[in-house]
Amino acid sequence: MIDVSATVTADHVSVVVCTYDEERRPLLERALEALKHQEQPSAWVIVVVDHNPGLLGALRADHPHLTVVPNDRTRGLSGARNCGLALAATPIVAFLDDDAVPQPDWVARLALAYRVADGQRVLGVGGAIVPYWAGGRPAWFPAELDWVVGCTYKGARADPGPVRNMLGANMSFRAQELRRIGGFLDGIGRIGTVPLGCEETEACIRMARRFAGGQIRFEPTARVHHYVSAERATPRYLLRRCWAEGLSKAHVAGLAGSSSALADERGYATRTLPRGVAQAFGEAVSSMRAAPLGRAVAMIVGLAVTTAGFVAGRLALHSNRAEPALQSHNH
């Protein structure tokens, strides 16, 4: 029986911000300042510092009103998020990247979205992630690939409604349910600057399976602005991130099964990208400009590299599974 009277408000939300590097401190301070000035503030802000004692001490000294803790789990984003989850004493736990700035009504919008949707209990809510390009968006970088820089991409759901998964820079869960599935798995998420990911995808799939009849939702009005450094606005980073995404998706497919892990990706690869490439080529021909052609090439190459990373990841998983079996057979 779904409790329709249990209204979630901002004071039912804890916000976890994970950080790891002193050089990102100015970005973190912007995020914390925005959380301080929310129209409806969250009950708690928890800053988790990933294995950096110097940064931990500095943040504790400068922010005595916040809960600043070391990551006492495995190094990396998954471990840091699980550390914050363990401390959250509210029904809802939200996760914000340390380089993302929420709009003033972010917490309130997330909380409001936790209502019964089409007879289903809402298990998690994610919001829109808008890129803030430090040096301006490169003319060759297509909006269809904004996921590369951790942002909501063209072709993703734009209206409120159910989704398979949320993006990590702007997401929230019912804390009890997230704990019951074991939180985020280690070995998938980002560690330092290594651009792996998909731990939130795997967690959302696991949660939906565990709590049948529940729903993960997208709420476009719960917006954050995600900083994109000049280093990430390069072809080199695009290639690294696409390769890492393929590896990560292979890992998730091995854990959750290809039908769940790749359901959204099939539509993206067969509809969103072909449509985007066709539009870019058409614009290049009609305008005689190079930028649209660059966007088309970026989409084609991005898909090819991601696919190659996925194949390499699947082969590595099969190899790792076969090796213990071979050793057992030899013994």
Side-chain angles (χ1 to χ4, degrees), residues 160-227:
V163 290
R164 181 194 64 184
N165 66 276
M166 303 169 277
L167 297 181
N170 178 7
M171 63 180 179
S172 64
F173 296 88
R174 291 192 185 272
Q176 181 178 358
E177 282 82 346
L178 185 56
R179 292 190 190 102
R180 286 176 64 185
I181 67 166
F184 300 95
L185 290 186
D186 291 328
I188 303 179
R190 180 181 289 264
I191 300 176
T193 59
V194 179
L196 295 171
C198 295
E199 73 279 7
E200 61 270 8
T201 299
E202 192 278 335
C204 287
I205 292 172
R206 234 179 333 124
M207 181 171 279
R209 287 179 175 173
R210 174 71 178 273
F211 302 102
Q215 187 180 104
I216 305 291
R217 286 186 68 82
F218 176 69
E219 176 48 60
T221 63
R223 292 159 65 93
V224 305
H225 296 268
H226 194 199
Y227 179 81

Side-chain angles (χ1 to χ4, degrees), residues 84-125:
L85 171 65
L87 292 173
T90 53
I92 306 299
V93 57
F95 296 92
L96 178 73
D97 275 10
D98 63 354
D99 56 358
V101 176
Q103 291 193 164
D105 60 351
W106 177 65
V107 173
R109 294 285 186 179
L110 285 179
L112 186 61
Y114 277 92
R115 57 188 181 274
V116 175
D118 303 322
Q120 293 184 311
R121 188 167 191 255
V122 178
L123 299 169
V125 176

